Every structure is written in C-alpha cells, then in structure tokens.
Amino acid sequence: MAQSRTRSTLYILVVLGLCIFCYILGSWHRSAIGRGDYIASIITKETECNFPLTLNFETHHAKPIFSNQSLRLFEPCDEKYTDYTPCQDQRRAMSFPRKNMVYRERHCPTEKEKMYCLVPAPKGYEQPFHWPKSRDYVPFVNMPYKNLTVEKAGQNWIHFEGNVFRFPGGGTQFPQGADRYIDRIASVVPIDNGTVRTVLDTGCGVASFGAYLLSRNVLTMSFAPRDSHTAQVQFALERGVPAVIGVLGSMKLPYPSRSFDMAHCSRCLVHWTSSDGMYMMEIDRVLRPGGYWVLSGPPINWKHHDNWWKQTKVDLEAEQRRIEELAELLCWEKISEMAETAIWRKPINLQSCPSRKYGSQIKTCDSTKMDDVWYKEMEVCIAPYPKVEPIQLELFPKRLYAVPPRISTGTVPKLSPDLYSQDNKLWRRHLESYKRVNKFLGTDRYRNVMDMNAGLGGFGAALESDKVWVMNVMPTVADLDTLGVIYERGMIGIYHDWCEAFSTYPRTYDLIHANGIFSLYENRCKAEDILLEMDRILRPEGAVIIRENIDILSKVGNIATGMRWEIKLVDHEDGPHLSEKVMFGVKKYWVGGSRNTKKKKIKTD
C-alpha cells in the first residue's frame, strides 16, 4: 500500500510539473520574446493545422464563436440600387453648388439616410473575363449601358458587339489608339525604363490610357466623376484597371504630396487657370520632384480649334498663355509641345528654381499640412520642397523593396530601415499562410485587390505581379500616415475614412484584405457599416481576408454570416495560443430578384 501511495504521489507530482511547464511555455510563446525562437517554431510546426481549401466553420475553440442566436439577416436592397454609390448619389448631388464642381464631390448619406441592405448584382451577372482579356472585353449583362457607345461613337472608346462591350483602346484625344499616343509621350518622358511608375490620370473616361500603360509596367490612378457619362469609372474597374470616382473640385485630392511620377490630362475639361491657378498648384503638390505633367487637347495648339467648350480662338489663346505663366510661376520647365500635347517637368529641387528660392508672389503652403487632405479645401499656395534634399528613387521594380526616402531620411516618425525590412518579411510570411487556405491568391482569379489598412504596403508588395494590382487604402484615423511610403515603393493608394462609403461602384473588387480595420474603428462607427460597404464593393464570389483578435472576429463573423458570406476561421501562423486569428470569407453568388443563392461557373479564359 505504501509503495502504491508513493507511486500515486509521484504520478501527481509529475503531472503537476508538466502542467506548470506547459503553462510557462504557453505564456512565453504568447509573448513577444518567445515568438520567432527556434524551439517555439518547432512546437508551432508540430501543432500546426493543415486547413482544407473549402470554407467551413470549424475552429480550434471548445465552443463555437459564431452564435446563430444573435444573427441578423440582411435583406437585398431594391433592384434600383444595383449601381448605388452612397457618397456620389446623383439625386443628392443636385442639391449642392455647381461652382468648382462641388456637386460632383463626395456627399455621404446621414445616419438616418444609410441603407442597411445588400446591394444586388444585375440579373444574369457574370464573372468578368480574366486579365488581359478583360482589358478589351466586358460582359454586357454586368453593365447594360449603351450610352457611351453612342456618345463616343467617333472616338473609339467603346463598341457594343453581341453580348459584350469591346474597348479598342481609343480616347477623345487618341481615337487611333492609346499605344500610339503613349509612344509619342514616351519619346520625351522616360516611361519605358522604370523611371515613371505611378501616374495620375485626370478625367480618365474608361481609363484606356491607364489600361495600355500597364503593359509598360506603369501603374495609373485614374479618376473621373460620376456624371452624364454613365459608369465610366465602373467600366474601367470592370476591365481590371485601377480607378476611383473623383473630381478636381474644391477639395484636395485624396493623395499624399510628392506621390506621382507623372500627371496626365487628355481633354479632361478642367479649367486649369480658374481660381488663380489652384488646380495646377494641386497637381504640383502631388507631383514628385522631377515629375512630369502632360496636357493634351485644347487650349494646346489653339490655332486649330474654334468654339471648343464654348470658347473662341481668342479665348483659347489667352487660356494657353495663362497656363504657360502659371507653369513658369511653379518653375515647371516646358520640355515639349507636339501637335496638341504639351509636357512640363517639375524641378528636382529649389536650386533649379531661383524665383522660388528667394521668394514668390504666391504664398507657400504649410509644410506640416501637406498630406492633411481629407475633406480639406484646396488652397492657392505652392507646395514646399522637403527640408531634406530629395533622394532619387530607384527604377521600378527595384523600387518595390528599396528603402523609401521617407524612411531613410527619417521623414516618417517611428520608422527605420530595419523595421521596414521586418515588415516586408512579415507580410511575405502572412501571404504564404493565406495561400494554404486560398489557393487562388496570386493567380488571375483575383485581379482587383484592396488592402483596407495598408500600413507600409507589405501585403501589396508581396502580391506584386502583372496579374494583380492593389488599391492600398490609408485610413484617415491611422496612427501613422505611411501612404507616401507606399507611393515611393511604386504602388498606388488613397486616403479614406471607413465610416463612409468608398469612392467606387458596387462589385468592383475581387479580393479585400482587412488587417486590424475593425479594431481601428471600434469606437468610431459600427462594424456592420464597414462590412456592408465591403459587401457592396466586392464582386459575387469575391473573397475577403480579415485579421483581428478573436473577440472582434466573433462579432464580425455573426454579421458576415447574415450577409450571405461563407466564412472560416483559422489560427495565427505562430499557433493557436495567440488571440489574433484570420477569417477567410467568400461572398455567395446571388442577383437582384433572387432570394436564394446559387453557384455560377467562373470563367477561366
């Protein structure tokens, strides 16, 4: 008996010791010190789960985190809202002033006006063609609007053929095709060697200029208002080309200063000399030192135009003269004028601009507010150069992982080259783990991708290929503004407040990535507001990836289930002990007028 009691006591002590050891090990593994250690990585590898590619609700928790008891089912909106853009609603817009295009700017619904329903796809909706076929063809059923085929019949914008729209690559200023037009610009501007990577296209139409620049590894942020030219930005995104709804109006453009290698306007109908040259000054703000401005169409070559935009030759001559004067005031050097296309270059530094160096007749903008642009009015002022001498960017694609000048010069606080390198490694690792669950990541299945909280752009950089482009969004409430860093890497992005609707049409993104977005907005707006907006801009059978802590994902999961998403929760890459998890979701296929979902065959060509 004594021997038996001794064995029992020894057994209890051994078990107790193991429990204490496991508790200490688990606490250490959850800490920042333990993560990344060799022993911890071995333990994680031993306990790592292999997740199936199909979505399901299995988790590693003892009880389900998604409760059907509190599930709210969201109903479809009326079919008239198929192309609803909450902050660019045409009826609301007409109540605002027309001066400086205020009525075409963002005017979002009040809390009482918000709709808590799911925006339907049009009946018969089909998955867009894969890139590069999508550049030239769009299914008619997805956007059944023939207006542009009539309005722009002689300009080669768009043709209706059978059951598809065909885009020949023409434009108002280049009816013979964007490639020939770009060739002319490239004879002056270094487009083909990686010097010009990011371009801003004002009044883009259906974005054929940006579409054809992609073949030269140039990424264009195209924008145009939602106006009488029905759905031009929607056509651009359906083609797989980056674009947003926007206008040069009274508010600053939602981009950081010194972002774009080139800005472009081809008959974009902007009165460049109005408001004391404020619009040209805004272009100067977003242009990188050494960047280019391309202006095509009247008033350039005014002698060959008459009564254009209700202007006589005398008016057009005066307009071009004033543009030349403003360009000189900004110290832009005119480097070319070919037919109806003029090109200026912004100086690299103040040494290239003696008049600015020793003072100017126009005030200099506040250097501390150059990137404070969200709902901020444009100013008649000239953007200052950074106090630190601008550093020449690497040619793209080397630029993608080179240390951005804003980091190497210490312009962005709290960041260093080492932290930047660690962030890149982290996101490459995250992406590899994502691919274990979603095998389509990195393929042509997902063309239009959005990162809702882009940070340093690590996710977008890890995804970089000619099959995909990423809209990197910088939340206006983020602790650290790093959108300028993202542009210096050769990617594009935009400022946005996720308590409001994004400036795009419904069904324009194939994949949405949200890292910490619900934590960031937890006390600012409702999670369902953000999720319903994600659902609006996500295509049927599009995918979402959400990284959050388990408590927030529990709430998000319930809302997402009520929105007809199929979801799956998986553990953090470092193991099940971490509170941060990853939720994968797929928006089910359904269309207006249908109560039940059904599977639609995905195009493979």
Side-chain angles (χ1 to χ4, degrees):
M1 287 291 292
Q3 187 177 7
S4 177
R5 282 196 300 270
T6 301
R7 287 179 178 174
S8 298
T9 302
L10 182 61
Y11 177 79
I12 292 171
L13 289 173
V14 169
V15 171
L16 183 62
L18 285 172
C19 290
I20 294 172
F21 173 76
C22 290
Y23 175 81
I24 295 172
L25 182 61
S27 300
W28 169 79
H29 183 59
R30 285 193 298 269
S31 70
I33 299 172
R35 203 180 302 179
D37 185 89
Y38 176 74
I39 297 175
S41 67
I42 293 297
I43 293 172
T44 299
K45 190 172 182 180
E46 290 296 323
T47 59
E48 188 174 65
C49 297
N50 293 317
F51 300 105
L53 295 177
T54 54
L55 294 175
N56 58 56
F57 296 94
E58 295 176 2
T59 71
H60 292 284
H61 299 268
K63 59 181 181 179
I65 65 164
F66 306 130
S67 171
N68 288 330
Q69 294 178 357
S70 59
L71 192 64
R72 175 185 177 183
L73 296 176
F74 292 89
E75 294 296 321
C77 305
D78 190 282
E79 290 180 56
K80 68 181 180 181
Y81 293 106
T82 293
D83 293 320
Y84 182 52
T85 52
C87 295
Q88 285 92 6
D89 182 70
Q90 294 290 73
R91 292 166 299 176
R92 189 182 299 111
M94 292 302 123
S95 66
F96 289 89
R98 296 194 170 223
K99 184 181 178 181
N100 287 340
M101 298 292 285
V102 169
Y103 75 118
R104 294 298 186 197
E105 295 182 319
R106 289 176 57 86
H107 304 289
C108 299
T110 63
E111 282 296 320
K112 291 183 179 180
E113 294 173 319
K114 286 183 178 178
M115 300 194 311
Y116 288 90
C117 54
L118 305 175
V119 174
K123 291 179 180 178
Y125 177 87
E126 298 179 3
Q127 287 293 335
F129 298 106
H130 290 171
W131 185 266
K133 184 177 181 179
S134 65
R135 187 193 72 174
D136 302 328
Y137 296 96
V138 164
F140 170 75
V141 70
N142 290 5
M143 298 178 58
Y145 312 117
K146 296 182 182 179
N147 308 49
L148 286 177
T149 64
V150 177
E151 293 178 28
K152 303 296 181 180
Q155 298 171 10
N156 243 0
W157 276 34
I158 178 174
H159 298 162
F160 177 59
E161 299 176 355
N163 61 352
V164 299
F165 288 111
R166 183 174 68 85
F167 298 84
T172 306
Q173 193 60 31
F174 42 91
Q176 302 306 312
D179 262 336
R180 289 174 60 180
Y181 174 69
I182 293 169
D183 283 340
R184 286 208 315 271
I185 296 173
S187 68
V188 179
V189 179
I191 286 176
D192 296 321
N193 68 354
T195 299
V196 171
R197 164 63 178 176
T198 55
V199 173
L200 181 69
D201 189 15
T202 308
C204 64
V206 294
S208 286
F209 180 68
Y212 280 79
L213 279 173
L214 284 165
S215 63
R216 303 176 191 233
N217 216 11
V218 174
L219 201 52
T220 304
M221 175 68 82
S222 301
F223 72 92
R226 177 162 189 170
D227 57 15
S228 58
H229 293 162
T230 305
Q232 50 189 334
V233 165
Q234 191 176 12
F235 273 120
L237 287 156
E238 198 74 6
R239 298 173 70 187
V241 181
V244 293
I245 303 172
V247 67
L248 263 174
S250 67
M251 298 293 171
K252 293 180 180 179
L253 294 173
Y255 314 112
S257 58
R258 310 187 311 278
S259 297
F260 295 96
D261 301 310
M262 186 173 88
H264 172 260
C265 159
S266 172
R267 295 204 184 199
C268 59
L269 302 183
V270 173
H271 283 293
W272 291 107
T273 61
S274 65
S275 303
D276 298 318
M278 181 174 68
Y279 296 138
M280 288 180 66
M281 293 173 193
E282 180 65 0
I283 294 297
D284 182 75
R285 181 186 71 82
V286 300
L287 262 186
R288 209 183 302 289
Y292 301 86
W293 186 49
V294 180
L295 179 61
S296 289
I300 305 303
N301 199 17
W302 57 269
K303 293 179 182 178
H304 293 84
H305 296 279
D306 198 10
N307 293 321
W308 181 81
W309 209 8
K310 300 180 181 180
Q311 290 181 300
T312 65
K313 286 185 178 180
V314 174
D315 296 330
L316 293 171
E317 180 185 13
E319 178 83 359
Q320 180 165 351
R321 187 187 311 115
R322 180 57 179 152
I323 287 175
E324 304 273 8
E325 291 169 354
L326 286 167
E328 187 175 348
L329 188 65
L330 294 167
C331 277
W332 293 357
E333 178 190 3
K334 189 174 184 180
I335 59 176
S336 175
E337 183 171 334
M338 305 173 287
E340 295 183 356
T341 301
I343 302 174
W344 287 266
R345 192 181 187 202
K346 180 177 177 176
I348 295 175
N349 51 41
L350 276 180
Q351 281 65 40
S352 308
C353 184
S355 62
R356 291 269 293 279
K357 186 176 180 182
Y358 299 109
S360 171
Q361 56 183 294
I362 296 180
K363 74 171 184 177
T364 302
C365 307
D366 186 345
S367 61
T368 64
K369 297 181 179 179
M370 292 308 299
D371 297 341
D372 183 16
V373 299
W374 188 247
Y375 288 127
K376 296 298 192 302
E377 291 188 353
M378 281 190 206
E379 301 177 78
V380 180
C381 61
I382 299 177
Y385 278 77
K387 294 180 180 179
V388 180
E389 184 71 16
I391 297 174
Q392 187 70 32
L393 291 174
E394 297 281 358
L395 301 180
F396 196 85
K398 189 176 180 182
R399 186 186 301 185
L400 187 63
Y401 282 105
V403 178
R406 279 173 166 86
I407 292 179
S408 62
T409 60
T411 304
V412 181
K414 304 177 185 178
L415 289 180
S416 67
D418 283 345
L419 288 174
Y420 171 72
S421 176
Q422 292 172 24
D423 187 76
N424 286 328
K425 291 177 182 176
L426 177 67
W427 281 106
R428 284 195 291 265
R429 183 164 173 254
H430 284 336
L431 183 61
E432 287 306 309
S433 71
Y434 291 167
K435 288 179 178 178
R436 292 183 217 146
V437 181
N438 188 336
K439 66 178 181 179
F440 296 112
L441 282 170
T443 72
D444 58 7
R445 173 69 181 86
Y446 303 124
R447 171 66 181 171
N448 301 358
V449 176
M450 175 180 284
D451 192 355
M452 295 177 68
N453 185 17
L456 297 177
F459 175 72
L463 265 180
E464 168 62 27
S465 80
D466 58 1
K467 298 175 183 176
V468 63
W469 62 268
V470 179
M471 181 66 74
N472 293 281
V473 181
M474 181 58 53
T476 56
V477 299
D479 293 333
L480 195 61
D481 176 9
T482 52
L483 190 53
V485 169
I486 288 170
Y487 272 94
E488 288 181 341
R489 301 186 68 171
M491 296 181 286
I492 58 173
I494 192 169
Y495 291 110
H496 184 66
D497 182 355
W498 285 112
C499 288
E500 299 179 358
F502 193 74
S503 293
T504 192
Y505 287 83
R507 304 171 303 281
T508 45
Y509 285 87
D510 303 298
L511 172 69
I512 299 176
H513 179 253
N515 174 40
I517 202 74
F518 294 94
S519 300
L520 185 62
Y521 281 92
E522 189 171 16
N523 298 314
R524 293 183 169 94
C525 51
K526 294 180 286 188
E528 52 259 51
D529 286 340
I530 299 174
L531 282 161
L532 284 168
E533 177 60 8
M534 292 171 69
D535 184 84
R536 183 184 74 87
I537 68 179
L538 189 66
R539 286 183 176 142
E541 299 186 330
V544 295
I545 304 173
I546 303 173
R547 294 188 78 92
E548 281 290 355
N549 70 62
I550 189 63
D551 295 329
I552 288 179
L553 283 182
S554 175
K555 180 179 180 181
V556 168
N558 278 332
I559 299 171
T561 302
M563 289 170 20
R564 309 185 186 198
W565 289 8
E566 293 180 350
I567 56 176
K568 176 182 176 63
L569 189 74
V570 303
D571 286 322
H572 191 285
E573 297 89 339
D574 287 338
H577 298 294
L578 295 174
S579 62
E580 181 179 280
K581 309 290 179 185
V582 183
M583 181 184 293
F584 292 83
V586 173
K587 177 180 175 178
K588 295 179 183 178
Y589 178 91
W590 63 278
V591 298
S594 67
R595 288 283 173 177
N596 299 316
T597 61
K598 62 178 181 179
K599 188 72 176 175
K600 188 83 171 181
K601 186 177 180 181
I602 298 172
K603 282 188 174 67
T604 57
D605 55 349

